[in-house]
Amino acid sequence: MTGESKIVQKNSREPFLMSGCKVADGSGTMLVTGVGINTEWGLLMASISEDNGEETPLQVRLNGVATFIGIVGLTVALLVLVVLLVRYFTGHTKNFDGSPEFVAGKTKVSKAVDGAVKILTVAVTIVVVAVPEGLPLAVTLTLAYSMRKMMRDKALVRRLSACETMGSATTICSDKTGTLTLNQMTVVEAFSGGKKMDLPESKSQLPPILSSLLIEGIAQNTTGSVFVPEGGGDLEISGSPTEKAIMGWAIKLGMNFDAVRSESNVIHVFPFNSEKKKGGVALQLPNSQVHIHWKGAAEIVLASCTKYVDASGNTVPLDQDKVSFFKKAIEDMACSSLRCVSIAYRTYDMDKVPADEQQLAQWVIPQDDLVLLAIIGIKDPCRPGVRDAVRLCQNAGVKVRMVTGDNPQTAKAIALECGILSSEEDAVEPNVIEGRVFREYSDSEREDIAEKISVMGRSSPNDKLLLVQALKRRGHVVAVTGDGTNDAPALHEADIGLSMGIQGTEVAKESSDIIILDDNFASVVKVVRWGRSVYANIQKFIQFQLTVNVAALIINVVSAMSSGEVPLNAVQLLWVNLIMDTLGALALATEPPTDHLMNRSPVGRREPLITNIMWRNLLVQAAYQVTVLLVLNFRGESILGLEHETPQRAIEVKNTLIFNAFVLCQIFNEFNARKPDEINIFKGISKNHLFIAIIGITLVLQVIIVEFVGKFTSTVKLNWKQWLISIIIGFIGWPLAALAKLIPVPQTPLHKFFTNMCNRRAKSSKSSKSSKSSSVEVTNNSQH
């Protein structure tokens, strides 16, 4: 791109790249005076401000579950309504004394209306119980709880939905610098004067002319600065970590930053950008000479060099042997996980520099025929514990991919050190690939290649964006880390954008969903853990809720169709609904994450929300509850020894015990829901004080409802034997759940099993029809 100018943004750590008008102020800074939608900045902001309105993976699943439950509940309610109304108006609904409640022509209209309203109330209550209005509450609670806890783990959540989406992440595209590494850079190797330097004594090894040119290029071709404290003390260097490392080395060479910058004027600046991997500056010296300095990726700058300054200070041609020597030096440093930077310059005729301000703004600084001054290797050590964090991700089925602008050899060395690559044998294409190679593939080819990529070196922000898009098309839930302004499109495109709190720019943070406050990859892994906890807690709540739904609906439907009465009345069902929705959401949505969660595979986009394990657990519990409570409903008087009671009293006691046992079954089953795939349901329960408190509150309220507010809930007091029976019925749910967890479940999701079975039947039906038609044809032919 031509005419690129550096915009200085207040409190920003890096320049923005734009094309437009500029004003030179003589200090090396170009102030942009106009912007527009066609500038790089305008296009960038347009891309990240687009809202595609996509729902998160969990939201999509929840919508499907809620719709399904609602339809089933409405269907059952209509069925119950029709059955009860038919029974009532045909005289099959009896009073306690056995007489019909409704007799055509005799029953008063007001009484008939009361009876119909009572039936309608039961039907509406069934709908209320069936519709999972507690599901949004459970989601909000677990997200809010996780969001607050994640702050302690150095993760600031900007969008609540990102908490749960992170639990579904199947791959993480991570930056290298500052995320996998410490971002504490120092120059540890240098080649200058045609040979390798001994760094501690580097100042004395360089001829004056070479030292002077190096210092000039480093001081002027930088976005950093050096501050000298008035009272003396250590110099303070500001800028990006790479700039700070290079300027620190230049200070050891004898650089006086302010003095060097005052000796020449900046004519034009080409700021470093991640596409070209280099930056340059044109300087006017006092003697009207023009020096053009370039600095950037070692092999890219070296490719533009035709000469170098030797140990005697002479500028000599860069022959093939010397090119091979420098290339080998770059490769060796890269293999030692060093970031390699080349520094070069060239002279230029002042007469060729555009004199007109507008032409100068569009002037492309010459970048050929350069003279190599130095190649330096910068060390950025890996973060402590990052290898363990990467291994934890891999064990959890989350593939970690490194996307960096560094040399592929450097990236490969860091990837091996971090554990992203397991061995040298893995460090081959396409596992390790360059950004320019990846971007040249077609969309379909990129999809295939993206699946295999572990390391992408020399990548541009657009390469990262293309990788994210390719992975998403493959069905991955993609998390991306980024810290630069140019990372914004990839952060915006990803399912979860993770910006860096320390090194990240404001634009990157605004485009992200979660800000990693300590820039540490280990904190990213903690976010995955919390995300999985959110997903698991929602699944626990759904299992618990569906068990109650299935049991309550079946009990009421069977009772309504057989006897015309329902054992669980409207008020009782509303109390059950409160336990199931509000209190259940509070209890199960605040379960803290466990290490067990990181031993599972990630839940991708196409995985069902209700797993086979959940179906097994809820069907076993629902079948048990339905069986026991229906037996009590039809044979309760004899089983409970209520034959000597009046019919009305016997029914009231029986129905109260059914209601009490049903509620206690849910309380005991709430413990089972904590650990859907573990036998020890009490593991870690002491850490969840809210769960214990809610169980206690529910029990106390149940006792009050049964023993003290019977008139309101249509219940009667129970004796201690009846309470004991209710408790035993509920308690049996615990050993039953433990036995159920020993039952193996198929890996194929239940809905796929039925879909495949239907498809097979359809195919067999078609084949049978085809064979029949064939036989008819044969018969017709034979007759002819």
Side-chain angles (χ1 to χ4, degrees):
M1 188 183 81
T2 61
E4 288 184 327
S5 305
K6 180 172 71 176
I7 303 171
V8 179
Q9 182 195 28
K10 187 178 181 181
N11 297 328
S12 174
R13 296 180 183 273
E14 62 180 49
F16 300 143
L17 301 179
M18 300 182 60
S19 59
C21 302
K22 71 183 180 65
V23 177
D25 65 352
S27 64
T29 299
M30 299 298 163
L31 304 177
V32 170
T33 60
V35 296
I37 189 62
N38 292 323
T39 63
E40 285 198 16
W41 173 253
L43 294 172
L44 170 64
M45 294 309 295
S47 70
I48 65 175
S49 61
E50 291 173 0
D51 185 7
N52 54 22
E54 288 184 6
E55 292 181 305
T56 64
L58 183 55
Q59 284 173 327
V60 174
R61 294 186 183 92
L62 288 176
N63 289 342
V65 171
T67 302
F68 174 74
I69 295 174
I71 291 171
V72 171
L74 188 60
T75 304
V76 170
L78 286 172
L79 185 64
V80 169
L81 178 64
V82 170
V83 170
L84 290 183
L85 285 175
V86 169
R87 289 186 63 92
Y88 179 77
F89 287 110
T90 55
H92 288 84
T93 304
K94 308 293 185 181
N95 291 311
F96 288 118
D97 59 3
S99 61
E101 286 189 14
F102 177 85
V103 179
K106 294 183 179 180
T107 303
K108 292 181 180 179
V109 174
S110 60
K111 188 176 180 182
V113 170
D114 288 343
V117 169
K118 181 181 175 184
I119 291 169
L120 182 62
T121 304
V122 172
V124 170
T125 305
I126 288 174
V127 174
V128 171
V129 171
V131 172
E133 66 269 19
L135 202 51
L137 175 64
V139 172
T140 304
L141 280 172
T142 191
L143 289 176
Y145 171 77
S146 301
M147 180 179 176
R148 184 169 63 87
K149 293 290 186 181
M150 284 163 71
M151 273 293 290
R152 298 180 184 177
D153 286 336
K154 306 298 182 184
L156 173 63
V157 179
R158 297 185 66 250
R159 294 183 180 88
L160 266 180
S161 60
C163 294
E164 55 90 356
T165 315
M166 196 66 189
S168 302
T170 57
T171 185
I172 300 173
C173 299
S174 175
D175 280 345
K176 177 185 75 70
T177 306
T179 307
L180 297 170
T181 61
L182 286 170
N183 209 15
Q184 297 172 358
M185 299 190 184
T186 53
V187 176
V188 294
E189 283 192 37
F191 289 79
S192 187
K195 60 182 181 179
K196 185 174 182 179
M197 301 172 62
D198 184 9
L199 282 188
E201 304 296 331
S202 57
K203 182 177 179 180
S204 61
Q205 296 176 44
L206 295 177
I209 183 64
L210 178 53
S211 179
S212 175
L213 287 170
L214 267 175
I215 289 171
E216 179 184 88
I218 292 171
Q220 291 285 23
N221 189 16
T222 183
T223 55
S225 62
V226 178
F227 175 71
V228 182
E230 291 182 3
D234 294 336
L235 299 177
E236 296 178 12
I237 305 173
S238 64
S240 70
T242 304
E243 294 282 10
K244 288 163 72 174
I246 294 172
M247 285 200 290
W249 179 60
I251 288 170
K252 292 177 182 177
L253 293 178
M255 179 181 75
N256 184 324
F257 184 77
D258 292 331
V260 173
R261 286 176 72 90
S262 66
E263 289 171 359
S264 56
N265 293 323
V266 174
I267 302 172
H268 195 68
V269 174
F270 184 97
F272 178 88
N273 74 68
S274 48
E275 289 287 342
K276 297 186 180 294
K277 303 295 181 187
K278 60 183 178 182
V281 62
L283 306 175
Q284 182 180 355
L285 277 60
N287 58 4
S288 295
Q289 280 188 324
V290 175
H291 283 180
I292 295 173
H293 289 274
W294 285 97
K295 176 181 68 183
E299 69 276 17
I300 292 175
V301 174
L302 177 63
S304 300
C305 294
T306 57
K307 306 179 187 72
Y308 74 99
V309 178
D310 65 13
S312 301
N314 300 316
T315 301
V316 295
L318 193 60
D319 57 27
Q320 192 57 46
D321 290 341
K322 216 59 183 175
V323 169
S324 300
F325 169 76
F326 286 128
K327 283 184 176 179
K328 181 67 166 56
I330 293 170
E331 187 176 335
D332 290 345
M333 287 192 288
C335 290
S336 301
S337 70
L338 302 185
R339 172 176 285 185
C340 302
V341 176
S342 287
I343 301 169
Y345 99 110
R346 63 164 292 172
T347 57
Y348 200 68
D349 292 335
M350 187 65 193
D351 296 338
K352 295 180 181 180
V353 177
D356 180 74
E357 186 66 34
Q358 188 173 359
Q359 290 178 343
L360 183 62
Q362 302 300 322
W363 182 44
V364 179
I365 302 176
Q367 48 189 303
D368 58 343
D369 199 24
L370 302 183
V371 179
L372 182 67
L373 300 178
I375 299 174
I376 56 176
I378 302 172
K379 179 69 175 176
D380 185 14
C382 281
R383 284 184 179 273
V386 74
R387 189 177 183 87
D388 293 336
V390 169
R391 188 188 304 115
L392 194 60
C393 274
Q394 292 169 340
N395 292 341
V398 181
K399 184 175 177 66
V400 180
R401 307 169 199 268
M402 179 197 293
V403 184
T404 177
D406 276 352
N407 183 304
Q409 294 296 329
T410 305
K412 183 180 79 172
I414 292 288
L416 286 167
E417 195 175 340
C418 294
I420 294 173
L421 293 173
S422 56
S423 65
E424 284 281 354
E425 288 72 27
D426 293 335
V428 294
E429 196 170 312
N431 291 350
V432 179
I433 195 170
E434 278 195 60
R436 63 175 178 79
V437 176
F438 180 70
R439 77 178 77 109
E440 287 171 0
Y441 286 116
S442 65
D443 286 348
S444 59
E445 288 173 328
R446 275 199 294 265
E447 283 185 40
D448 296 332
I449 293 294
E451 196 74 41
K452 303 170 185 176
I453 292 174
S454 294
V455 177
M456 184 184 288
R458 284 287 177 254
S459 69
S460 68
N462 192 54
D463 296 331
K464 184 187 282 191
L465 178 62
L466 290 173
L467 177 62
V468 171
Q469 291 170 339
L471 289 169
K472 286 182 71 175
R473 287 196 298 269
R474 293 282 293 189
H476 284 281
V477 178
V478 186
V480 169
T481 71
D483 55 11
T485 299
N486 291 334
D487 288 327
L491 289 169
H492 184 71
E493 178 71 21
D495 295 289
I496 316 100
L498 302 154
S499 63
M500 301 297 109
I502 299 172
Q503 292 295 325
T505 63
E506 289 305 314
V507 175
K509 291 175 184 176
E510 285 297 321
S511 303
S512 66
D513 304 298
I514 298 172
I515 300 173
I516 304 301
L517 299 176
D518 61 354
D519 291 13
N520 194 342
F521 185 78
S523 298
V524 176
V525 179
K526 290 176 183 176
V527 173
V528 174
R529 195 164 174 260
W530 275 107
R532 291 194 173 193
S533 176
V534 168
Y535 195 88
N537 287 350
I538 298 300
Q539 286 186 311
K540 293 171 187 177
F541 176 72
I542 290 173
Q543 178 185 308
F544 173 67
Q545 186 177 54
L546 284 180
T547 304
V548 184
N549 275 343
V550 171
L553 293 179
I554 292 176
I555 290 167
N556 271 9
V557 170
V558 173
S559 299
M561 288 185 164
S562 58
S563 63
E565 294 288 340
V566 289
L568 300 172
N569 62 41
V571 176
Q572 292 170 356
L573 282 175
L574 288 173
W575 167 236
V576 170
N577 193 51
L578 182 64
I579 297 172
M580 178 180 69
D581 282 346
T582 310
L583 296 177
L586 280 169
L588 295 172
T590 55
E591 279 284 321
T594 61
D595 293 335
H596 178 68
L597 293 172
M598 296 302 284
N599 294 327
R600 302 176 181 175
S601 296
V603 181
R605 294 181 189 277
R606 299 181 180 88
E607 297 300 315
L609 181 60
I610 306 175
T611 63
N612 288 356
I613 289 174
M614 293 168 65
W615 279 120
R616 177 196 64 193
N617 296 342
L618 74 88
L619 289 175
V620 167
Q621 288 293 324
Y624 163 69
Q625 292 177 22
V626 167
T627 302
V628 171
L629 298 181
L630 283 179
V631 168
L632 284 175
N633 186 54
F634 296 116
R635 296 287 183 268
E637 288 89 343
S638 58
I639 293 173
L640 300 172
L642 301 174
E643 295 93 341
H644 61 283
E645 301 283 357
T646 62
Q648 181 176 351
R649 170 70 182 174
I651 291 173
E652 287 175 344
V653 171
K654 178 195 72 175
N655 285 350
T656 300
L657 192 137
I658 289 172
F659 165 62
N660 197 42
F662 184 67
V663 170
L664 290 175
C665 279
Q666 311 323 318
I667 293 173
F668 279 94
N669 192 38
E670 212 157 351
F671 287 85
N672 295 329
R674 288 186 66 247
K675 304 290 180 184
D677 53 352
E678 294 181 62
I679 291 178
N680 184 5
I681 58 176
F682 303 105
K683 185 178 179 181
I685 197 170
S686 60
K687 295 178 182 178
N688 194 343
H689 301 129
L690 186 58
F691 181 90
I692 297 170
I694 288 171
I695 294 296
I697 290 169
T698 308
L699 280 170
V700 170
L701 290 175
Q702 180 64 16
V703 172
I704 293 172
I705 286 171
V706 171
E707 296 296 322
F708 301 104
V709 291
K711 190 173 182 180
F712 176 68
T713 56
S714 301
T715 56
V716 295
K717 292 185 178 181
L718 300 178
N719 59 38
W720 69 270
K721 290 182 180 178
Q722 291 158 349
W723 268 101
L724 185 61
I725 291 170
S726 301
I727 293 169
I728 290 172
I729 290 172
F731 176 81
I732 290 173
W734 281 354
L736 190 66
L739 290 172
K741 288 168 186 173
L742 299 177
I743 301 172
V745 294
Q747 293 294 322
T748 306
L750 201 61
H751 75 280
K752 285 187 179 179
F753 173 78
F754 287 116
T755 303
N756 293 339
M757 188 169 64
C758 292
N759 290 339
R760 282 197 297 270
R761 286 187 176 181
K763 286 180 181 178
S764 62
S765 175
K766 285 181 181 179
S767 62
S768 62
K769 286 181 181 178
S770 176
S771 61
K772 284 181 181 179
S773 64
S774 299
S775 63
V776 169
E777 282 185 19
V778 170
T779 305
N780 290 338
N781 291 334
S782 64
Q783 288 174 349
H784 284 299

